[in-house]
Amino acid sequence: MMDGIAGRIAERIRHGGPISVAAFMTEAMFDPREGFYATRNPIGAGEDFITAPAVSQMFGELIGLWCGQVWMDMGRPAAFHLVELGPGTGQMMSDVIRAGRAVPGFMAAAQFHLIEASPALKMVQGRTLTPMGVEIGWLDRIEDIPPGPAILLGNEFLDCLPVRQAVKQKGQWHERLIGLDETGEAFRFVMGPRLGTEADLVPERLREAPDGTLAELRPGDQQVVDHLARRFAGQPGHALFIDYGPAQSEAGDTFQAIRQHQKADPLEAPGTADLTARVDFEQLAHFARQGGLAVTGPAPQGDWLRAMGLEVRAAALIGQAPELKTKIARQVMRLSEPDQMGELFKVMAISAQGLPKPPGFTGDG
Ligand code: SAH
């Protein structure tokens, strides 16, 4: 007998038929009582997964320096919004603030906002950031950011946004849905109806792919970019996204579950594992350019961090605390080596037109 979130999803399927992968993700992650994020802090070595800000303070500090530079390049507006999307434990924002203090005038101009859907993580963020002594507010949605110049940051935010899946059959895209198996006690994938206008969300590169191809659709990315396009049409700003995924659209199922650092079956025990899907940076850039925005990158995370001064920062920290040399060297490797987070993770800036190219991107991107 399925109970809790699984039971509620099963009930919904029995009444209304199979649901999209996106609907399943939303229920599993943000069910107000039992959703994976709604109720707990899953980020950390002893928890379910680890992210770059938890690996090392250097990650957030270099992002803070990046913020300082783009703020100067916007002409040092006397007031601007510094917004983090999906701040997790608040660790990255606290490192951003520490680095921001080194940039004259930056902290006085910054108004800090966190956009967080999880009540449990809001509490953790409050505990992490109160000691920083900076006024920080929470907003529910990106649309709630007040007008004005803005810098938005999102590390491992876009990968949480619900995806839909489609499979090409006889030349047409059909949505891949989640239904119940014959026992009624377990979820399984089922083929749904032909996609209508949503077929526009199939990444360009995959449109002409052969029958049997699975494509992921990211309506959430489109929504975020639509907001940035509206916002940056009339006021300067940058958004920086760091996430895992390919630089070019790839076919295939990347919907995955991570529980206690292990891959798990995404359809089993919803609410007890982190559900994500890879970010498609080519598609993200495509949405952004369609919206009239400037795109820089994606750059592999390792290259971006080195261009921002990772090694210099590591040497400075080791200079202050030589006994931490091995530990800091390990953090540098974890963040930047190609077989660790250096290559799969990418960094992309989406900006208002007419601003200097943001730092950290050495290629022509
Ligand atoms: N940036 C943090 C956390 C990554 S986990 C880090 O790098 O450690 C994803 C974060 O995004 C969590 O804080 C989660 O609760 C939040 N989140 C996911 N979807 C969201 C949404 N639609 N709106 C607001 N926050 C969301």
Side-chain angles (χ1 to χ4, degrees):
M1 188 55 208
M2 291 198 273
D3 53 14
I5 296 183
R8 284 193 288 283
I9 299 176
E11 196 55 27
R12 182 170 162 188
I13 293 171
R14 275 192 288 272
H15 282 110
I19 61 173
S20 68
V21 173
F24 187 89
M25 280 177 91
T26 304
E27 301 263 358
M29 302 308 282
F30 292 106
D31 177 280
R33 276 174 300 172
E34 295 169 297
F36 182 73
Y37 277 123
T39 55
R40 63 157 95 50
N41 168 23
I43 307 159
E47 314 302 333
D48 289 286
F49 61 91
I50 211 154
T51 57
V55 169
S56 171
Q57 68 184 74
M58 293 182 283
F59 183 79
E61 288 170 348
L62 295 172
I63 290 177
L65 288 181
W66 185 90
C67 293
Q69 184 65 50
V70 299
W71 171 70
M72 291 192 277
D73 290 346
M74 284 194 280
R76 300 172 199 257
F80 75 100
H81 303 291
L82 182 48
V83 185
E84 186 175 354
L85 309 170
T89 62
Q91 182 62 48
M92 184 172 107
M93 188 52 103
S94 77
D95 298 331
V96 164
I97 290 171
R98 187 151 12 80
R101 290 198 162 121
V103 181
F106 180 81
M107 289 300 289
Q111 290 161 22
F112 294 92
H113 308 277
L114 305 177
I115 298 188
E116 175 54 65
S118 155
L121 284 174
K122 279 184 190 166
M123 305 250 296
V124 179
Q125 291 152 17
R127 280 201 296 275
T128 307
L129 290 165
T130 304
M132 303 304 291
V134 170
E135 198 180 317
I136 299 185
W138 279 267
L139 300 171
D140 287 331
R141 304 171 324 140
I142 194 167
E143 291 79 10
D144 300 336
I145 306 167
I151 300 172
L152 293 87
L153 305 171
N155 185 59
E156 293 210 46
F157 171 72
L158 296 176
D159 69 341
C160 291
L161 299 183
V163 295
R164 292 169 67 176
Q165 291 186 330
V167 176
K168 202 175 217 186
Q169 287 182 329
K170 300 206 179 100
Q172 307 282 356
W173 291 101
H174 289 256
E175 184 151 15
R176 188 185 193 221
L177 299 171
I178 297 172
L180 291 166
D181 74 2
E182 29 330 298
T183 68
E185 292 297 319
F187 299 108
R188 69 157 176 203
F189 290 107
V190 297
M191 282 319 293
R194 206 181 124 189
L195 283 181
T197 52
E198 309 99 308
D200 292 349
L201 286 167
V202 173
E204 195 93 8
R205 187 181 288 281
L206 306 179
R207 297 245 168 106
E208 302 312 317
D211 278 357
T213 301
L214 189 150
E216 286 175 335
L217 283 51
R218 297 194 139 273
D221 290 4
Q222 173 82 73
Q223 255 180 330
V224 169
V225 169
D226 283 349
H227 171 76
L228 295 177
R230 279 195 298 277
R231 172 162 208 106
F232 293 163
Q235 44 208 339
H238 293 273
L240 188 72
F241 294 107
I242 308 101
D243 230 305
Y244 75 108
Q248 288 193 342
S249 305
E250 286 174 5
D253 176 10
T254 77
F255 175 47
Q256 69 163 24
I258 298 281
R259 184 188 297 117
Q260 287 155 10
H261 303 276
Q262 302 290 322
K263 278 207 180 190
D265 179 347
L267 298 191
E268 211 183 286
T272 67
D274 187 33
L275 299 182
T276 60
R278 288 189 180 202
V279 172
D280 176 345
F281 282 93
E282 184 174 35
Q283 182 71 350
L284 184 64
H286 173 73
F287 289 150
R289 291 196 177 101
Q290 259 187 342
L293 296 164
V295 175
T296 318
Q301 174 171 301
D303 292 356
W304 190 87
L305 288 173
R306 276 188 293 271
M308 287 303 300
L310 179 64
E311 266 109 8
V312 177
R313 183 69 192 127
L317 287 174
I318 293 168
Q320 287 162 22
E323 70 282 8
L324 296 181
K325 184 167 184 211
T326 320
K327 186 173 161 202
I328 292 168
R330 233 186 359 244
Q331 294 174 350
V332 168
M333 285 175 59
R334 181 89 194 262
L335 292 175
S336 66
E337 288 289 308
D339 61 344
Q340 311 241 348
M341 300 177 84
E343 185 93 42
L344 176 58
F345 281 78
K346 310 279 189 304
V347 185
M348 181 182 267
I350 298 179
S351 313
Q353 291 291 352
L355 295 169
K357 178 172 158 175
F361 299 91
T362 49
D364 346 308

